[in-house]
Amino acid sequence: MPPGKPLTALLKSATRPEHLLQLHALMLKSSHFPHHAFPTARLLASPLAPPAYALSLFAAVPRPTLFHHTAILRALSAFPSADSLAASLSVLASARARLPALDEFSFQPLLALCAKMHDGAEAASVGKQLHALVLRYGFLDVLSLRNVLCHFYCCCGSMADARRVFGEMPEKDAISWNTVIGGYVRAEDVGTAVEMLSALRWSGMDVSVTALINLIGCGWPGESVHGFCIKAGFCIDVKIAAAMIGMYVREGSVECAAKVFHETTRRDLVLYNCMVDGYAKAERIQEAMDLIERMRQSGLRPSSGTLVGVLSACGASGTLPAGRRVHELALEAGLELDTALGTALMDMYFKCGCPDEAVSVFDALHNRDVKAWTTMIMGFGVNGQSGDAISLFCKMEEEGVAPNEVTFLALLSTCSHGGLVQEGKEFLERMVHHHSLTPSREHYGCVIDLLGRAGRLDEAYELIRSIASRGDATGWRALLAACRVHGNVKLGRMVQAQLDAMGHYHPSDAIQLSNTYASEGRWDEIARLRDLEAQKISVAKKEAGCASIVVSC
């Protein structure tokens, strides 16, 4: 044993699964495992222990006590899955058979596990059976257990059962009220959630920050919640202020969000990040940059989260000077170039037409995950560097990074814009056969667009017919555009009929078909089409486009 360092403290300070293995070996060497109940239980209950490892530790305990059973149940609840649920039921059955009595702590981990697996019918059924067991053992009056039961029913969407459990509580604490209010918020029943908040106030119990944050995020009118927070004196709370800023940003009221920010006397990093992100989402980049500078002057160091949103806005608007300044701020602050920041920088440089600088950022990344590789492939494709995108994908596979659906979408889009028909078809096959990924409508749409651009309209038509049951209007519309380019009137008419049958009308469809007729000089067909589509086109509005250019001096 290390001098002056108790074993329980070592178990508590473990941060990686490797630490558990070392501590397990230490406990075996010092005869603490499995003979000393408390450190053994702490090892069992560690959230770092995978279920199979935790179960193997439990099996090594010769005469497990109730403490051991509860510990292994807590460990299994940290890994929600069907296997964990089955193992937990087996452990509970073992406890009921071996031990003379159970306590309320024996049921809480399993109920929490069922709450985490609320989408499954089996977990919901097990949770209800546990409710019956709790009633049978006489633990229903335990407040913490009732709160867990209430949380379980809220997660399952059974608000009537949750309200019944809540109403039958002989006493209620802040957790009880927060659980039910949060349940109604999750069920999007804002009216009942507000009624529960009023009942909470009338009960004489203080309104908690958690309850208010739940309501702020559920669509309660901004003025109402803001007024309540002012009257109740909650506006000084940083968490409440951050939630209100997020609420006003979602509503598009950046001025109101800024008012909340400036009226908050104590500002931390989270609050600054919320306001910077709000300015970035509203494309008010200069104000976001000014706030970052003000943040630095106040002694706060920007984080990766502070800069990512601004970089995204710079990329969307093509504001290269501001994007470069954000990069400089990251270097000045000594921020680690993690995946989030590196990906945002690469995306910004690519969208601003600076692929070389994006490559420099990519080369500086130490831990490149699939998002970083995909961003590079997508950036090369957008900038017309199809060969570089494909070469990078091959290098990605060589380094053992598994591509995902977005990676292949970027590759297929690159092939479509580069006219690489054979490569695109091979990537679609590789996606299915080598990586066991299922193509979506977007993937098929890229291949259809690729075949259409190359003039292989019949092949594109056969492909889209095989996925027509998916109702992919985007793919049919891409084929219609290809018919216009290559003057295939017959196929264009068939595609138009298919779009009409699907009910996916868009005014551009008639325009595309009209242009197809015009390419062959069939003016009578154009006149007939205009007569048929006149009413539809007259009621449909085409969204106006706009473009902006940022000139750097």
Side-chain angles (χ1 to χ4, degrees):
M1 294 289 294
K5 191 74 170 179
L7 182 57
T8 52
L10 288 171
L11 287 164
K12 189 176 181 179
S13 62
T15 57
R16 296 199 303 269
E18 294 81 13
H19 294 164
L20 290 185
L21 295 175
Q22 294 172 359
L23 289 169
H24 186 188
L26 178 63
M27 290 171 66
L28 286 170
K29 186 177 179 180
S30 59
S31 300
H32 280 77
F33 182 87
H35 307 293
H36 290 250
F38 185 70
T40 298
R42 287 296 297 266
L43 184 65
L44 280 171
S46 173
L48 300 172
Y53 178 61
L55 288 169
S56 69
L57 293 175
F58 181 72
V61 179
R63 288 181 297 277
T65 64
L66 180 59
F67 198 32
H68 293 114
H69 283 85
T70 305
I72 185 63
L73 287 172
R74 285 177 55 196
L76 292 170
S77 69
F79 296 88
S81 66
D83 292 339
S84 295
L85 183 61
S88 297
L89 289 173
S90 176
V91 171
L92 183 63
S94 171
R96 295 181 65 194
R98 291 182 180 184
L99 304 175
L102 301 182
D103 60 13
E104 65 269 23
F105 302 107
S106 307
F107 300 96
Q108 291 183 11
L110 192 46
L111 278 168
L113 177 60
C114 292
K116 293 175 184 176
M117 300 174 61
H118 54 84
D119 292 334
E122 183 182 3
S125 174
V126 170
K128 293 177 181 178
Q129 294 176 50
L130 287 171
H131 188 174
L133 269 179
V134 169
L135 179 63
R136 180 179 175 184
Y137 274 85
F139 295 132
L140 209 53
D141 291 335
V142 178
L143 179 59
S144 60
L145 199 49
R146 274 190 179 269
N147 286 339
V148 175
L149 277 168
C150 197
H151 174 67
F152 160 71
Y153 283 120
C154 286
C155 290
C156 292
S158 304
M159 289 309 301
D161 292 324
R163 190 67 178 267
R164 189 179 303 111
V165 172
F166 177 81
E168 293 172 353
M169 288 183 178
E171 59 175 330
K172 303 175 181 69
D173 61 3
I175 296 176
S176 312
W177 287 97
N178 291 339
T179 300
V180 177
I181 292 173
Y184 281 117
V185 169
R186 192 181 293 110
E188 299 182 353
D189 189 350
V190 181
T192 307
V194 175
E195 289 175 8
M196 291 294 295
L197 181 66
S198 300
L200 169 59
R201 297 183 68 200
W202 281 106
S203 70
M205 189 175 294
D206 292 334
V207 177
S208 68
V209 171
T210 304
L212 272 178
I213 290 176
N214 282 333
L215 282 172
I216 289 171
C218 75
W220 194 10
E223 295 79 5
S224 300
V225 67
H226 195 171
F228 176 82
C229 290
I230 292 174
K231 289 171 62 177
F234 276 101
C235 284
I236 61 173
D237 189 280
V238 179
K239 293 180 181 177
I240 293 290
M244 284 197 295
I245 288 172
M247 172 193 68
Y248 279 126
V249 169
R250 287 191 298 272
E251 294 178 356
S253 303
V254 184
E255 288 78 9
C256 293
K259 183 176 176 60
V260 173
F261 176 82
H262 292 301
E263 289 178 351
T264 306
T265 54
R266 187 173 63 87
R267 306 184 188 110
D268 61 1
L269 179 62
V270 174
L271 197 65
Y272 270 102
N273 285 355
C274 288
M275 196 62 243
V276 169
D277 188 60
Y279 280 134
K281 286 179 178 175
E283 297 183 358
R284 294 163 65 163
I285 298 173
Q286 187 56 50
E287 288 168 275
M289 298 295 294
D290 293 342
L291 191 59
I292 293 174
E293 190 59 38
R294 181 177 173 182
M295 173 184 176
R296 296 176 69 205
Q297 291 173 0
S298 67
L300 287 174
R301 177 172 172 262
S303 67
S304 175
T306 313
L307 307 179
V308 166
V310 184
L311 286 168
S312 177
C314 291
S317 61
T319 315
L320 181 59
R324 281 181 171 153
R325 177 55 187 153
V326 173
H327 194 175
E328 291 172 3
L329 286 172
L331 296 175
E332 291 172 9
L335 295 180
E336 179 186 356
L337 194 62
D338 57 12
T339 303
L341 182 59
T343 301
L345 281 168
M346 288 186 292
D347 183 65
M348 183 273 298
Y349 279 128
F350 272 126
K351 287 179 177 177
C352 291
C354 301
D356 292 340
E357 294 182 59
V359 172
S360 298
V361 174
F362 181 75
D363 291 338
L365 274 176
H366 297 295
N367 298 317
R368 301 169 186 161
D369 62 0
V370 64
K371 291 182 181 179
W373 288 92
T374 301
T375 300
M376 286 295 294
I377 292 170
M378 192 175 298
F380 279 136
V382 168
N383 283 271
Q385 298 172 271
S386 306
D388 291 333
I390 293 173
S391 298
L392 192 66
F393 175 74
C394 296
K395 185 178 178 182
M396 174 184 177
E397 287 189 316
E398 288 174 2
E399 294 195 10
V401 180
N404 58 18
E405 290 85 350
V406 183
T407 312
F408 279 101
L409 190 61
L411 277 170
L412 292 172
S413 177
T414 298
C415 292
S416 176
H417 289 89
L420 307 176
V421 178
Q422 187 59 36
E423 290 84 350
K425 293 172 67 176
E426 289 175 359
F427 281 132
L428 186 65
E429 292 179 4
R430 189 170 188 80
M431 176 182 179
V432 176
H433 299 299
H434 289 263
H435 296 281
S436 302
L437 298 174
T438 303
S440 65
R441 288 180 294 181
E442 288 77 11
H443 295 96
Y444 284 116
C446 283
V447 177
I448 290 163
D449 184 56
L450 170 63
L451 294 171
R453 287 170 183 261
R456 298 163 70 164
L457 302 183
D458 293 335
E459 194 174 345
Y461 181 66
E462 291 301 322
L463 176 61
I464 198 171
R465 281 184 61 191
S466 67
I467 58 169
S469 59
R470 298 170 180 260
D472 184 20
T474 304
W476 285 105
R477 201 157 279 129
L479 183 56
L480 183 60
C483 292
R484 176 189 63 81
V485 172
H486 296 282
N488 193 326
V489 175
K490 180 180 178 181
L491 184 57
R493 189 183 292 120
M494 293 168 60
V495 174
Q496 174 70 39
Q498 178 64 33
L499 284 167
D500 289 341
M502 292 168 62
H504 290 276
Y505 174 76
H506 193 275
S508 64
D509 299 340
I511 296 171
Q512 294 276 18
L513 188 57
S514 177
N515 291 337
T516 306
Y517 287 140
S519 65
E520 293 194 355
R522 301 173 65 166
W523 308 113
D524 54 336
E525 293 284 1
I526 294 175
R528 186 180 65 82
L529 179 64
R530 285 177 178 171
D531 291 339
L532 291 173
E533 299 291 324
Q535 185 177 1
K536 296 179 182 178
I537 295 177
S538 63
V539 299
K541 293 183 179 180
K542 186 177 184 298
E543 184 179 351
C546 64
S548 64
I549 299 175
V550 177
V551 179
S552 177
C553 298

